[in-house]
Amino acid sequence: MPDSEFCVILVTTNTKESSNELVSMLLQSQLAACIQTIPVDSHYYWNGQICADQESLLLIKTRSALFQQIQDEIIKIHPYDTPQIVQLPVTAGLPDYLQWLNASVVPVRKK
């Protein structure tokens, strides 16, 4: 059970097309209420080498209970073998914004 009702999920990708595909999929399925995309310079260690790439960082706002479903859907279409998919809890926020966020995403699916 998540400690926070809402979260921001951080995902990076390497092309505008991939970014747009992820954004469209998540918004059309109402798994996310809002997604911001930011160009970033990523520096990382991969396969024994230091790498640097220009990427897009997606800031995905949603309910914490939807994280696993979102992660599963991202993995299906993400171009990376090991994509960054990181969940950060939202510990506080403007109540009207959080009500809008809650109303903008689908109910959590039952297992």
Side-chain angles (χ1 to χ4, degrees):
M1 186 80 162
D3 293 332
S4 175
E5 184 175 2
F6 304 104
C7 69
V8 175
I9 301 171
L10 307 178
V11 176
T12 54
T13 189
N14 60 345
T15 66
K16 186 71 169 168
E17 294 79 17
S18 175
S19 176
N20 289 340
E21 183 179 14
L22 289 165
V23 167
S24 293
M25 179 272 295
L26 292 168
L27 291 176
Q28 288 175 4
S29 61
Q30 289 185 280
L31 291 172
C34 174
I35 303 171
Q36 296 162 314
T37 58
I38 302 168
V40 295
D41 292 327
S42 294
H43 306 268
Y44 55 96
Y45 190 77
W46 185 253
N47 291 330
Q49 296 183 357
I50 296 175
C51 303
D53 289 299
Q54 293 183 334
E55 295 183 298
S56 290
L57 172 63
L58 281 61
L59 304 174
I60 303 164
K61 277 65 133 268
T62 190
R63 267 195 232 107
S64 297
L66 292 170
F67 175 75
Q68 187 62 53
Q69 186 177 351
I70 291 168
Q71 179 175 263
D72 293 346
E73 294 301 318
I74 290 171
I75 289 170
K76 288 179 188 176
I77 64 173
H78 201 289
Y80 293 174
D81 292 334
T82 308
Q84 170 186 301
I85 305 173
V86 177
Q87 179 187 31
L88 304 175
V90 173
T91 59
L94 180 70
D96 288 345
Y97 178 81
L98 296 178
Q99 288 173 357
W100 166 81
L101 193 161
N102 191 52
S104 298
V105 295
V106 296
V108 177
R109 70 178 179 198
K110 303 292 183 200
K111 292 193 177 198

